Amino acid sequence: MAPKYAPSLRSRLAPFLLFLQIGFIAVYYFYVEVDNNGNGIIFRNFYPVFQDLNVMVFLGFGFLSTFLVRYGFSGSGFNLLIAVIAIQWAFILDGFESWYYRGKIWIDLRSLVVAEICTASVLISIGAVQGKTNPVHLTIMALMEVFGFVLNEWLLRTLLPVQHLNFILVLHIFGAFFGLVLTWILYRKESQQGFEKEKFDCKTGLFSMLGTLFLWMFWPSFNSILMERSFPERRLWAVCSTYLALAVSAVGSFAVSTLSSPKGEINPTHFQSCILAGGVAVGVSMPVIRYPWEAMTIGLAAAAVSTVGFRYLTKHMLFAFGCHDTCRVLSVHGLPGLLGWLIHLLLQIQQSDDRTIAIRFGVFHICVLLITIAVSLTMGIITGVLLKWDIWRPPQDKKCFDDQTFWKFEHLAIRK
């Protein structure tokens, strides 16, 4: 017998979404305008990479979330819902400074790209709590995390001399730690024994692999998309370096997965997730990479760190800290992001001829990481405490990871 229709969808989700969307429409009606100044140049520079980023956000992350046997519709459908809400909200928050000084929020393709990058951070975090929350939880989480991400950017620009912040530097770290602290607060005792419906098979794994391939193919555009503002001459270099790092990361994940298996078999979940680790690490360290072999070495190291973390760290995080990370965002985004940050720091110091400048950069770089982690953990704790309220009607343990809790399937309906 199918589970009863989730009360949160009838009495909470629909009014909440309608109220939220009507509020967005009202704000856009009074305060948002399209900026046509220099529109031709911006359109030529940003529209192709915007298309690539759009594919990553909606197809890449959407298909990637379908690996669970009974949670495919929810994984892809909720990904779409949260993405479109987060993008609209990011437009408003990112344009707040423009509204304060000019009275209007001016948007163009560049601001749309920035909004989708904020959204990518949210989609990373959702992977940590996937299957254990309802759409109301995810919507509130998206609103809070986008606010935290924009707040973190403002703090970095205000407290530190950051003229052109590399969003990729903080994207993966912010998203991973936000999701981890959130899943820690929303911990369920059922996680220790394993949820009954938290399973995957070859069919769902194949669909999820399609999402990985979308992300893998378009990741070079993702890492180079904001180079136009800070290092326009290095966009081609960013594309080539990212591709090489991703290629080596794929090879490394094959090798390390085989070595970590007692029977020498390749774990498909290792390969599916860890081939992206090179793109994460090289994106964070991109401004200081000078040679192709450096990008390739980073890709290999990231694949090793990610695969080993995937293989051994996940269970320890669950039993030691009560942190049930559904999509292993720590191994796929958190650890490679920290590795890229460390490589960025070491290479920048090594390339600097002036010791004083090197020390200043080291302090500055460490402060960027500490502020980012502090903001992500703080916002994650606040969001987790908010989501713990029973008013949001979280799904029962037996209904976690189950599409039938939220979706109507005619062929499963009880007919009298």
Side-chain angles (χ1 to χ4, degrees), residues 142-194:
L143 297 175
M144 295 294 291
E145 184 168 359
V146 171
F147 174 78
F149 192 86
V150 175
L151 174 64
N152 182 64
E153 181 216 349
W154 179 81
L155 287 175
L156 292 177
R157 287 191 288 108
T158 304
L159 302 178
L160 301 173
V162 181
Q163 295 181 351
H164 299 293
L165 175 65
N166 180 11
F167 281 86
I168 311 301
L169 177 64
V170 299
L171 166 69
H172 304 284
I173 297 174
F174 189 97
F177 280 93
F178 185 96
L180 287 173
V181 73
L182 193 59
T183 191
W184 171 66
I185 294 176
L186 300 179
Y187 172 74
R188 294 167 178 260
K189 292 182 179 180
E190 187 74 14
S191 303
Q192 296 285 355
Q193 291 78 30

Side-chain angles (χ1 to χ4, degrees), residues 226-294:
L226 291 179
M227 285 289 178
E228 187 266 345
R229 295 183 63 183
S230 51
F231 305 101
E233 70 282 355
R234 287 178 60 85
R235 290 188 66 180
L236 176 60
W237 175 243
V239 170
C240 295
S241 298
T242 304
Y243 184 84
L244 290 172
L246 287 168
V248 176
S249 183
V251 176
S253 61
F254 264 115
V256 178
S257 179
T258 304
L259 290 173
S260 63
S261 172
K263 297 183 179 180
E265 298 172 335
I266 301 171
N267 189 322
T269 57
H270 291 177
F271 174 72
Q272 176 182 318
S273 300
C274 300
I275 63 173
L276 302 173
V280 174
V282 82
V284 175
S285 55
M286 182 62 64
V288 295
I289 297 177
R290 293 184 177 181
Y291 306 103
W293 68 267
E294 292 178 341

Side-chain angles (χ1 to χ4, degrees), residues 260-262 267 270 306-315 331:
S260 63
S261 172
N267 189 322
H270 291 177
S306 179
T307 308
V308 171
F310 204 108
R311 175 70 174 82
Y312 299 105
L313 191 59
T314 303
K315 292 183 179 179
S331 300

Side-chain angles (χ1 to χ4, degrees), residues 34-252:
V34 176
D35 187 1
N36 289 316
N37 295 328
N39 191 51
I41 298 176
I42 294 176
F43 188 88
R44 288 194 300 271
N45 290 341
F46 272 88
Y47 190 69
V49 288
F50 158 70
Q51 288 179 308
D52 294 350
L53 185 57
N54 226 21
V55 170
M56 292 181 68
V57 168
F58 293 100
L59 287 180
F61 282 104
F63 277 111
L64 188 64
S65 303
T66 61
F67 67 97
L68 295 166
V69 173
R70 303 185 63 171
Y71 204 73
F73 278 89
S74 299
S76 58
F78 294 161
N79 179 87
L80 172 63
L81 172 66
I82 300 309
V84 294
I85 290 175
I87 289 172
Q88 295 178 73
W89 180 229
F91 263 136
I92 297 173
L93 294 182
D94 191 59
F96 182 80
E97 188 174 355
S98 172
W99 169 82
Y100 183 79
Y101 289 107
R102 303 167 61 185
K104 288 286 186 179
I105 298 175
W106 296 93
I107 63 175
D108 54 19
L109 271 178
R110 181 187 285 115
S111 55
L112 181 54
V113 165
V114 172
E116 290 207 327
I117 288 178
C118 296
T119 301
S121 178
V122 176
L123 300 180
I124 290 171
S125 300
I126 285 177
V129 297
Q130 181 173 335
K132 300 166 290 183
T133 51
N134 61 35
V136 180
H137 286 136
L138 298 179
T139 303
I140 297 173
M141 175 182 169
L143 297 175
M144 295 294 291
E145 184 168 359
V146 171
F147 174 78
F149 192 86
V150 175
L151 174 64
N152 182 64
E153 181 216 349
W154 179 81
L155 287 175
L156 292 177
R157 287 191 288 108
T158 304
L159 302 178
L160 301 173
V162 181
Q163 295 181 351
H164 299 293
L165 175 65
N166 180 11
F167 281 86
I168 311 301
L169 177 64
V170 299
L171 166 69
H172 304 284
I173 297 174
F174 189 97
F177 280 93
F178 185 96
L180 287 173
V181 73
L182 193 59
T183 191
W184 171 66
I185 294 176
L186 300 179
Y187 172 74
R188 294 167 178 260
K189 292 182 179 180
E190 187 74 14
S191 303
Q192 296 285 355
Q193 291 78 30
F195 289 93
E196 176 187 355
K197 300 171 183 176
E198 189 184 5
K199 302 175 182 178
F200 59 92
D201 60 14
C202 294
K203 186 176 181 180
T204 57
L206 186 61
F207 274 101
S208 184
M209 186 63 196
L210 181 61
T212 300
L213 292 178
F214 275 121
L215 292 172
W216 194 93
M217 290 170 59
F218 292 102
W219 209 284
S221 296
F222 183 69
N223 280 351
S224 65
I225 202 165
L226 291 179
M227 285 289 178
E228 187 266 345
R229 295 183 63 183
S230 51
F231 305 101
E233 70 282 355
R234 287 178 60 85
R235 290 188 66 180
L236 176 60
W237 175 243
V239 170
C240 295
S241 298
T242 304
Y243 184 84
L244 290 172
L246 287 168
V248 176
S249 183
V251 176

Side-chain angles (χ1 to χ4, degrees), residues 4-15 134 136 391-396 399 405-406:
K4 293 182 179 179
Y5 199 64
S8 59
L9 287 180
R10 290 181 293 183
S11 61
R12 290 164 177 79
L13 180 63
N134 61 35
V136 180
I391 189 176
W392 310 123
R393 301 298 297 271
Q396 302 172 2
K399 295 183 180 181
T405 307
F406 308 108

